[in-house]
Amino acid sequence: MQLGPLDYGLWLTSFLLEVYVVVWSVLRKDFLRYIPLNIYMLAVAGVTWGQYHFIHTYGLKSQNYFYYYYYSDSLLCILMYLVIIHFYQEVFAEMNVSRYIRGAAALLLAATALFSYIVVRQNKEHMTTSFVVELEQNINFVVVVLTYLLWGAILKLRETRTRLIQLVLALGVAFSATAGSYALRNLFPDATDLLRWVPPVMGVWLPLAWAYTLTKVPEDARLATARLVARAR
Amino acid sequence: MMAALICVISIVAFLQFFVSYCRSILATSRKVQLSDRVREVAGIANQNVAAEDFQRLLQLVRLCPERGDDRTEIRAVGTYYGFLHVIGRAFRSVIPSLAAWSERERQSCSYFAAVALDRRISYSRDLLTQQAGDRV
């Protein structure tokens, strides 16, 4: 299988958007304010560059690329945990519960690793390959659950900061689509050709939505969360 | 079993996040009052804009010079409108309340397009005034 212009286009777009988010934060002197988000964007940009290197050195179908892709993505998901914890701390800032949030997040991460290990232990014959795919699916799903709980807290606490709301929602869109696509791949291995587009498209979506929010939405913009919940009357 | 569960939960979560994200973009336009000028240009009689007017308004938006800062929003809302259109048509006879909700949401999308048109018309007029001033 060869990479087409669309693959390269998505790659380049996501890389440029990731760099844009970081550069914009630096120029606006907001780098430290959004430090977990900026570290994540820098790491994603680095991983994107690494993917390009691995494909050109070892080939798309190589084992090297396969493991690089899944393990680097799992590490990125762990960095994403830090971003989510940062968002939790923002939402619960007035309640002084940062210590508990960090503890709960660490516990959840350990539980995810343990769960993945137990699942893989039952399929020992395909140990490494099945482990990375399983871990990828589970870690992505935990990010979805954490983001969903965060969204619930935002609604419950009537958080009004538009920037924070949009950053969290964009994250939710990206990871729920990615987790869903990995689960569908597991369920329907024949549909991989179509589903393989979801992660790269979401790889463009997340930095694009974050870049849009950071650039266009003013820091002091406010929004009533009740307006965002869809209710069929 | 686990993959199926993750798949279902992820799809439901995706829909909720996506709808809420689009609504957060639409919410900014709800506070804006439409000018008489845009009502006249687009043939809008009252404060409500019909759901079916979205494509027509978008065509008018495309006729105006680009401001450069609203393209992403317009594209996102266009995608949301398309999604709502499919939902509305698919569930019209099965879940009427969902179809009614999709209709209301599409009205919000049309209102957003009318606000975008209003901004672009103002921008065009500013450009014309600026050019006229440069000539003098």
Side-chain angles (χ1 to χ4, degrees), chain B residues 108-125:
Chain B
S108 298
C109 294
S110 297
Y111 194 83
F112 171 87
V115 171
L117 178 63
D118 205 356
R119 285 189 184 139
R120 285 210 179 179
I121 290 172
S122 298
Y123 178 65
S124 310
R125 288 170 73 99

Side-chain angles (χ1 to χ4, degrees), chain A:
Chain A
M1 190 175 68
Q2 289 289 314
L3 291 180
L6 190 58
D7 294 280
Y8 286 108
L10 287 171
W11 236 344
L12 188 65
T13 312
S14 64
F15 180 75
L16 292 176
L17 285 166
E18 286 146 11
V19 172
Y20 172 84
V21 169
V22 178
V23 170
W24 185 91
S25 294
V26 171
L27 292 178
R28 295 294 298 258
K29 297 187 173 70
D30 269 343
F31 185 84
L32 291 176
R33 182 177 157 74
Y34 295 107
I35 193 157
L37 191 149
N38 283 313
I39 289 173
Y40 177 77
M41 282 284 111
L42 274 177
V44 178
V47 165
T48 308
W49 192 252
Q51 283 177 353
Y52 181 82
H53 170 75
F54 267 73
I55 284 183
H56 278 264
T57 311
Y58 302 105
L60 186 65
K61 288 285 179 187
S62 67
Q63 285 283 301
N64 303 50
Y65 176 69
F66 177 83
Y67 288 118
Y68 174 80
Y69 178 87
Y70 280 102
Y71 280 122
S72 61
D73 215 45
S74 301
L75 288 173
L76 286 178
C77 277
I78 291 165
L79 274 180
M80 178 48 77
Y81 276 24
L82 299 179
V83 177
I84 295 174
I85 291 166
H86 171 75
F87 288 148
Y88 267 97
Q89 286 177 328
E90 287 270 315
V91 172
F92 291 101
E94 289 173 10
M95 294 168 76
N96 291 324
V97 288
S98 296
R99 204 155 47 101
Y100 301 108
I101 292 168
R102 279 199 295 269
L107 204 67
L108 196 67
L109 184 62
T112 311
L114 185 68
F115 178 76
S116 297
Y117 174 73
I118 291 166
V119 169
V120 169
R121 211 174 155 215
Q122 292 168 351
N123 304 288
K124 274 182 185 167
E125 63 275 18
H126 308 295
M127 187 65 182
T128 40
T129 307
S130 63
F131 179 75
V132 284
V133 179
E134 191 76 38
L135 185 71
E136 178 77 15
Q137 175 194 276
N138 293 345
I139 288 184
N140 270 289
F141 183 64
V142 173
V143 172
V144 175
V145 173
L146 283 175
T147 313
Y148 199 80
L149 292 174
L150 178 61
W151 176 234
I154 285 173
L155 291 177
K156 193 78 182 163
L157 296 172
R158 297 177 198 277
E159 174 63 61
T160 56
R161 285 172 284 180
T162 310
R163 251 194 196 184
L164 183 63
I165 290 169
Q166 287 199 347
L167 290 174
V168 171
L169 287 173
L171 183 67
V173 168
F175 275 85
S176 53
T178 309
S181 77
Y182 281 121
L184 279 169
R185 271 197 217 186
N186 273 345
L187 289 171
F188 308 105
D190 294 338
T192 305
D193 278 353
L194 185 69
L195 293 167
R196 86 176 180 93
W197 291 105
V198 178
V201 168
M202 289 299 132
V204 173
W205 157 263
L206 189 61
L208 177 68
W210 279 0
Y212 166 78
T213 302
L214 293 173
T215 314
K216 303 283 179 193
V217 179
E219 184 66 50
D220 56 354
R222 294 292 182 266
L223 183 67
T225 43
R227 282 184 175 276
L228 305 180
V229 186
R231 285 191 186 92
R233 279 172 290 187

